[in-house]
């Protein structure tokens, strides 16, 4: 039985453009073994994992870096594979069993989280790594004999349970669903909760619009509403917080949690915002592995223990370490940057765009400082950043300051660049230095996509390239708008550390707009808080110390936080709990243990 995986990236592998170096230089092939052969139907090489010696020559010789040879832990035997997408392709080890309450799934992109939801929702029958026969539920039921999943798949096969699935990729909905938002939601309302759901999810003002005229955040809320209005036994939500601001994320979490409180209902959610996942879940399954190669499901843990274990990077029971260093949040206020050189001083600025009016109080920023910008969507955060970037001129006020150079990463990233990632980054700076490779390329995991065309990148890949491009420019101030969008937890933590290091290394200042509060808490020294009326009036504060800024923002959100005693990460108090009520009474929404 093979003790390693041979993974072939079908997108990167281009046999017509190479000399089949993988076959040509393979020692096994040279000795007459069929270690690597061409599959005429696939038009791709196939690697025998049983015959592969793990020498790695094919990995080094492949001109497109399409091959990965991975040594497996001894316990990951072939008979534990629940699903595989084909020979030399991704494999999933293990599965979760839905239970009462909300079960969260936590792990990096590409290790099988969405595959699990597709299997449990009935959209995909697992093949148990058998490519000779069509997958069928009888084999799956036999495979899980004696476990909770045996009964689950029996019920799924016989139609005794009704799963409801909110998919990850909501942008395809306008292509398959026609009509207005109101017509769609009334059509799927099987619970009679139409008015309640559209009120909580703030959908009232878009009921007469068609799906193809909605923004990403609006489309996400409609997809969540549609799932919540349907009558089912088990509900699957794949990344429900994407595109949503902080208020909308917690409104969505409240609606989803309420489903789990109905008799007999179960909920499973995949989520990358750790604060939302913490608030939403009763149990956590951590997943680890190598993206696009294999994924492993761990046993369930309590929410707090599960998230702390993930941040620690060590699975004690499995004896697996998947992160070199644990992530620990500051439990005390960050360093005071007022003694650092002053970089920028700006006056109060105002700007009117149609019916929207923005005013932002003046302030200062120092070298090496990271300024977090908090506030709901449609309140003027991006407009303010564009004023700082001198893309938009203010009606009143001034932000210019001599020869200060600015680098800007916009919220919406274009993929129109005609060339590879390497070409793009080389057009900005010399990327071949050891500093650039260690401080930007490696932490942002760009090594494997350097020769990909920018126009072919996924949302997460494009985001990381855009962040790298922004940080590659020689500048005094970096303006970074929503860097965590499309990124998984691991990537968000890597991006936050990269931005933090670049502020120190370049002695530059950073303005960072983002809706992930844990991301902002980890990265920011001070906050600028935006409030007002969405789409009409936006008011930005002067820069506030971290505690004052967080208190102001959380009070407007009507949310209180506490600090986890082990990791220092912020956690949301359950609404109406004794601690929540106490903190609101004393005005400490952002609680820091002393």
């Amino acid at each position: 039985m093979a003790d390693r995986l041979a993974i072939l990236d079908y997108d990167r592998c281009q046999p017509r453009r190479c000399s089949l170096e993988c076959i040509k230089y393979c020692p096994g092939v040279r000795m007459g073994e069929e270690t690597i052969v061409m599959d005429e139907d696939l038009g791709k090489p196939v690697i025998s994992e049983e015959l592969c010696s793990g020498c790695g020559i094919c990995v080094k010789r492949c001109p497109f870096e399409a091959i990965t040879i991975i040594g497996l832990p001894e316990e990951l035997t072939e008979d534990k594979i629940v699903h595989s997408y084909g020979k030399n392709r991704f494999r999933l080890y293990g599965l979760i069993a839905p239970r009462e309450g909300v079960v969260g799934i936590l792990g990096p992109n590409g290790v099988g989280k969405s595959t699990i939801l597709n299997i449990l929702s009935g959209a995909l029958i697992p093949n148990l790594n058998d490519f000779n026969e069509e997958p069928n539920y009888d084999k799956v039921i036999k495979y899980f004999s004696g476990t909770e999943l045996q009964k689950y798949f029996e019920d799924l096969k016989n139609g005794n349970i009704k799963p409801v699935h909110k998919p990850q990729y909501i942008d395809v909905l306008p292509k398959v669903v026609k009509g207005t938002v109101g017509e769609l939601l009334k059509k799927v309302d099987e619970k009679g909760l139409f008015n309640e759901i559209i009120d909580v999810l703030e959908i009232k003002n878009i009921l007469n619009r068609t799906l193809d005229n909605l923004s990403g955040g609006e489309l996400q809320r409609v997809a969540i509403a549609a799932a919540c209005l349907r009558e089912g036994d088990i509900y699957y939500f794949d990344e429900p917080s994407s595109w949503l601001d902080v208020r909308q994320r917690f409104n969505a979490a409240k609606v989803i949690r309420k489903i789990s409180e109905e008799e007999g209902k179960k909920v499973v959610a995949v989520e990358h915002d750790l604060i939302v996942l913490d608030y939403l879940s009763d149990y956590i399954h951590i997943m680890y592995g190598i993206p696009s190669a294999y994924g492993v499901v761990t046993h369930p843990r309590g929410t707090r223990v599960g998230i702390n274990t993930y941040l620690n990077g060590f699975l004690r029971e499995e004896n697996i370490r998947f992160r070199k260093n644990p992530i620990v949040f500051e439990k005390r206020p960050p360093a005071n940057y007022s003694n650092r050189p002053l970089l920028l001083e700006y006056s109060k600025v105002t700007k009117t765009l149609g019916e929207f009016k923005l005013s932002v109080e003046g302030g200062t920023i120092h070298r090496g400082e990271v300024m977090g910008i908090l506030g709901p969507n449609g309140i003027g955060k991006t407009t303010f950043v564009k004023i700082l970037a001198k893309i938009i001129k203010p009606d009143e006020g001034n932000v210019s300051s001599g020869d200060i150079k600015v680098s800007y990463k916009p919220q919406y990233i274009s993929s129109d660049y005609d060339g590879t990632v390497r070409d793009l980054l080389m057009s900005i700076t010399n990327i071949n230095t050891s500093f650039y490779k260690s401080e930007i390329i490696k932490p942002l995991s760009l090594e494997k996509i350097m020769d990909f065309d920018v126009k072919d990148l996924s949302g997460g890949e494009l985001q990381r390239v855009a962040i790298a491009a922004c940080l590659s420019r020689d500048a005094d101030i970096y303006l970074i708008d929503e860097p965590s969008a499309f990124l998984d937890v691991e990537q968000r933590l890597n991006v936050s550390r990269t931005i933090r290091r670049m502020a120190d290394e370049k002695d530059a200042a950073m303005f960072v707009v983002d809706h992930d509060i844990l991301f902002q808490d980890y990265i920011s020294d001070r906050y600028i808080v935006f409030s007002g009326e969405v789409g009409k009036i936006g008011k930005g504060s002067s820069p506030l110390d971290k505690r004052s800024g967080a208190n102001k923002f959380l009070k407007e959100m009507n949310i209180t936080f506490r600090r986890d005693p082990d990791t220092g990460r912020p956690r949301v108090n359950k609404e109406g709990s004794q601690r929540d009520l106490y903190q609101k009474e004393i005005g400490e929404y952002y609680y820091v243990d002393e």
Side-chain angles (χ1 to χ4, degrees):
M1 186 172 292
D3 58 356
R4 63 183 58 86
L5 295 183
I7 301 297
L8 180 70
D9 189 324
Y10 275 39
D11 294 327
R12 297 186 71 121
C13 178
Q14 302 180 55
R16 294 182 181 179
R17 293 179 55 191
C18 72
S19 302
L20 298 178
E21 284 87 347
C22 56
I23 297 176
K24 183 177 178 181
Y25 292 101
C26 174
V29 172
R30 288 185 166 192
M31 290 188 295
E33 298 176 343
E34 294 187 338
T35 310
I36 308 179
V37 298
M38 278 297 294
D39 187 307
E40 299 301 329
D41 294 329
L42 292 174
K44 306 281 185 183
V46 175
I47 305 170
S48 169
E49 292 166 349
E50 288 74 18
L51 297 176
C52 176
S53 65
C55 67
I57 291 175
C58 59
V59 176
K60 297 175 183 176
R61 289 287 187 174
C62 176
F64 302 109
E65 299 181 359
I67 301 173
T68 306
I69 306 296
I70 303 164
L72 283 174
E74 292 181 6
E75 63 271 16
L76 296 183
T77 54
E78 194 169 326
D79 61 335
K80 292 185 178 180
I81 298 175
V82 172
H83 187 74
S84 172
Y85 284 100
K87 185 71 174 177
N88 301 145
R89 303 193 74 180
F90 177 82
R91 271 153 260 198
L92 173 67
Y93 293 86
L95 205 57
I96 77 163
R99 54 172 64 194
E100 297 296 327
V102 181
V103 177
I105 306 179
L106 175 59
N109 287 331
V111 295
K113 299 186 302 297
S114 294
T115 297
I116 287 175
L117 297 198
N118 285 330
I119 289 172
L120 294 176
S121 66
L124 174 69
I125 302 176
N127 58 21
L128 308 177
N129 201 39
D130 183 355
F131 308 122
N132 297 320
E133 296 182 17
E134 282 291 315
N136 66 80
Y137 279 124
D138 290 334
K139 288 180 64 177
V140 174
I141 291 166
K142 183 179 180 182
Y143 178 84
F144 288 107
S145 178
T147 70
E148 294 176 81
L149 286 169
Q150 177 187 355
K151 177 70 163 56
Y152 182 87
F153 282 113
E154 286 174 348
D155 288 340
L156 192 63
K157 174 191 174 184
N158 298 323
N160 294 331
I161 57 172
K162 180 182 177 183
V164 176
H165 186 196
K166 199 291 293 181
Q168 176 184 3
Y169 299 109
I170 55 170
D171 52 332
V172 301
L173 295 179
K175 300 174 184 177
V176 296
V177 180
K178 304 302 177 185
T180 67
V181 171
E183 291 169 345
L184 164 67
L185 295 182
K186 286 178 181 177
K187 185 177 179 180
V188 300
D189 183 15
E190 298 169 344
K191 296 181 178 179
L193 297 176
F194 176 82
N195 291 325
E196 179 182 333
I197 294 294
I198 66 168
D199 185 48
V200 176
L201 295 178
E202 301 174 350
I203 296 175
K204 282 185 178 180
N205 62 337
I206 61 171
L207 290 177
N208 294 323
R209 286 161 57 184
T210 56
L211 268 61
D212 56 353
N213 286 317
L214 300 181
S215 67
E218 291 165 342
L219 199 57
Q220 182 72 273
R221 282 177 281 147
V222 170
I224 293 169
C228 293
L229 288 171
R230 293 176 61 192
E231 190 64 67
D233 300 297
I234 183 162
Y235 294 76
Y236 296 101
F237 292 89
D238 202 343
E239 298 189 24
S241 78
S242 298
W243 305 97
L244 303 185
D245 65 33
V246 177
R247 187 195 307 276
Q248 294 164 349
R249 290 181 184 198
F250 283 101
N251 286 343
K254 289 174 185 175
V255 170
I256 294 170
R257 270 213 68 86
K258 196 169 183 179
I259 293 175
S260 70
E261 294 166 2
E262 299 175 32
E263 187 176 353
K265 309 290 186 186
K266 299 176 182 177
V267 175
V268 177
V270 170
E271 181 52 63
H272 293 306
D273 185 324
L274 288 182
I275 291 181
V276 172
L277 185 68
D278 189 6
Y279 178 82
L280 183 62
S281 304
D282 299 300
Y283 306 94
I284 296 285
H285 283 273
I286 295 173
M287 292 192 67
Y288 68 92
I290 295 180
S292 302
Y294 74 94
V296 184
V297 183
T298 66
H299 64 77
R301 293 167 166 85
T303 301
R304 176 180 173 271
V305 172
I307 293 178
N308 284 358
T309 299
Y310 186 83
L311 290 174
N312 188 44
F314 179 62
L315 303 169
R316 190 175 304 278
E317 294 84 351
E318 293 86 347
N319 196 28
I320 296 288
R321 179 164 291 283
F322 55 87
R323 187 185 302 109
K324 186 176 180 181
N325 298 310
I327 305 297
V328 179
F329 292 77
E330 296 179 30
K331 295 184 180 181
R332 297 189 179 277
N336 183 2
Y337 277 77
S338 60
N339 58 352
R340 299 286 294 271
L342 180 66
L343 179 59
L344 175 68
E345 184 171 5
Y346 58 92
S347 67
K348 178 178 179 179
V349 295
T350 65
K351 182 67 180 179
T352 299
L353 296 170
E355 296 181 355
F356 179 72
K357 295 182 178 181
L358 172 68
S359 66
V360 184
E361 296 299 321
T364 59
I365 189 166
H366 301 81
R367 290 192 177 275
E369 188 175 17
V370 178
M371 188 77 71
I373 299 179
L374 299 173
N377 286 330
I379 209 73
K381 302 186 305 297
T382 296
T383 300
F384 174 61
V385 168
K386 287 182 176 179
I387 289 174
L388 293 175
K390 301 178 184 177
I391 296 171
I392 295 176
K393 289 185 177 181
D395 298 332
E396 297 179 69
N398 185 23
V399 297
S400 61
S401 181
D403 297 327
I404 286 179
K405 291 176 285 188
V406 174
S407 180
Y408 172 52
K409 185 206 82 71
Q411 177 182 3
Y412 299 107
I413 309 164
S414 171
S415 59
D416 293 340
Y417 182 81
D418 188 17
T420 66
V421 172
R422 189 183 305 276
D423 296 334
L424 172 62
L425 298 179
M426 280 296 290
S427 70
I428 299 171
T429 189
N430 179 14
I431 66 173
N432 294 318
T433 65
S434 58
F435 172 83
Y436 194 89
K437 289 177 180 178
S438 64
E439 296 298 323
I440 292 183
I441 291 180
K442 187 174 181 180
L444 295 182
S445 302
L446 300 179
E447 303 100 321
K448 289 192 174 183
I449 63 171
M450 292 297 287
D451 295 312
F452 280 25
D453 286 336
V454 173
K455 62 185 177 182
D456 294 332
L457 299 179
S458 68
E461 291 168 341
L462 193 60
Q463 181 71 272
R464 285 180 281 131
V465 169
I467 294 167
C470 176
L471 296 177
S472 299
R473 299 186 185 97
D474 182 24
D476 302 293
I477 294 178
Y478 294 84
L479 307 166
I480 308 173
D481 203 343
E482 297 203 25
S484 77
F486 304 109
L487 303 185
D488 62 35
V489 175
E490 197 73 22
Q491 291 165 344
R492 292 180 190 197
L493 293 170
N494 288 338
V495 165
S496 66
R497 284 195 295 256
T498 301
I499 293 174
R500 184 78 258 178
R501 280 200 307 271
M502 287 297 101
D504 294 332
E505 294 282 351
K506 296 192 173 192
D507 205 21
M510 308 277 177
F511 285 85
V512 180
V513 179
D514 209 275
H515 294 301
D516 187 329
I517 301 179
L518 186 140
F519 180 92
Q520 287 281 31
D521 185 75
Y522 186 74
I523 198 175
S524 303
D525 298 305
R526 289 191 290 165
Y527 289 132
I528 296 175
V529 180
F530 280 72
S531 56
E533 190 175 351
V534 173
K536 294 184 179 180
I537 299 173
K539 297 179 180 179
S541 72
S542 60
L544 303 169
D545 68 79
K546 198 167 183 179
R547 188 162 189 166
S548 300
N551 254 323
K552 176 178 172 62
F553 176 69
L554 294 173
K555 186 174 183 179
E556 292 180 4
M557 297 292 108
N558 197 32
I559 297 168
T560 61
F561 276 8
R562 66 188 184 278
R563 287 284 188 185
D564 183 85
D566 296 330
T567 63
R569 67 181 171 91
R571 301 188 69 197
V572 178
N573 294 318
K574 300 296 183 184
E575 188 174 8
S577 67
Q578 187 175 354
R579 187 157 189 171
D580 177 59
L581 295 174
Y582 170 70
Q583 287 182 219
K584 287 176 179 176
E585 182 181 342
I586 64 173
E588 282 288 359
Y589 288 74
Y590 179 71
Y591 189 78
V592 182
D593 288 322
E594 298 297 340

